[in-house]
Amino acid sequence: MTPSRQQGFTLIELMVVLVIIGIASAAISLSIRPDPLQGLRKDAERLAQLLQVAQAEARVDGRPISWRADAKGFAFSRPSDDGRGLDQFKDDPQLRPRPWESPSIKVHIEPGPRLVLNAEWIDAPLQVQLSDGQHSLTVQRTATGVVRVVALP
């Protein structure tokens, strides 16, 4: 009788392969870093869309809409129907007050300290610069009302 030789891999060989795969996958996952601009870009794109919505609402309604922001978030407001206060859009699904996605945002508005959207079809261009301390993006509105996000050097 001839002794039969086993075919296949030993347990040690399989364990060595698993350890190598584990080390390689850990190295790959540590080398992949999230985009540092992702939160800031998301905030800027969302703001651009909401500024367009607010501009359209101001044109339809005829009342100016103000936008204000701080390090925690932003909100839209307009004079109330009776003229005795402000409508803060608390129940509006689109223009309700919102927090920033990024942890702390600095906002700079050009020109002027506040942003007001009125019913005019052609208005002065404006820029809202959003900065997280390391990176910055700018939301621009042209005189014709086109809103876009740009990265200024």
Side-chain angles (χ1 to χ4, degrees):
M1 243 179 143
T2 62
S4 68
R5 180 158 165 89
Q6 288 186 344
Q7 294 184 346
F9 299 105
T10 65
L11 182 59
I12 297 289
E13 291 170 333
L14 290 175
M15 294 298 286
V16 167
V17 169
L18 287 176
V19 167
I20 292 171
I21 291 172
I23 291 172
S25 65
I28 290 172
S29 67
L30 289 176
S31 69
I32 298 174
R33 299 207 170 144
D35 181 13
L37 279 175
Q38 181 179 7
L40 189 62
R41 188 175 296 116
K42 197 174 197 181
D43 282 330
E45 289 171 358
R46 179 174 60 164
L47 178 59
Q49 292 171 351
L50 291 174
L51 286 175
Q52 286 180 327
V53 169
Q55 182 68 64
E57 177 71 19
R59 286 176 180 154
V60 168
D61 187 57
R63 291 179 286 171
I65 296 179
S66 297
W67 178 79
R68 60 179 166 71
D70 58 22
K72 296 180 181 178
F74 61 90
F76 292 93
S77 63
R78 69 177 167 197
S80 62
D81 288 332
D82 59 9
R84 296 187 192 172
L86 291 177
D87 178 8
Q88 301 288 337
F89 295 101
K90 294 208 185 283
D91 297 326
D92 190 289
Q94 294 166 333
L95 298 179
R96 63 183 166 76
R98 297 173 189 262
W100 296 114
E101 295 276 331
S102 300
S104 131
I105 296 272
K106 293 177 186 154
V107 178
H108 178 70
I109 302 170
E110 290 181 17
R114 60 185 215 144
L115 191 150
V116 178
L117 305 166
N118 56 33
E120 300 297 325
W121 284 92
I122 296 181
D123 203 358
L126 62 88
Q127 292 185 6
V128 178
Q129 184 178 17
L130 303 178
S131 173
D132 63 1
Q134 295 177 344
H135 307 93
S136 66
L137 291 173
T138 301
V139 178
Q140 291 180 336
R141 186 192 71 186
T142 64
T144 58
V146 176
V147 181
R148 63 183 175 183
V149 177
V150 295
L152 297 176

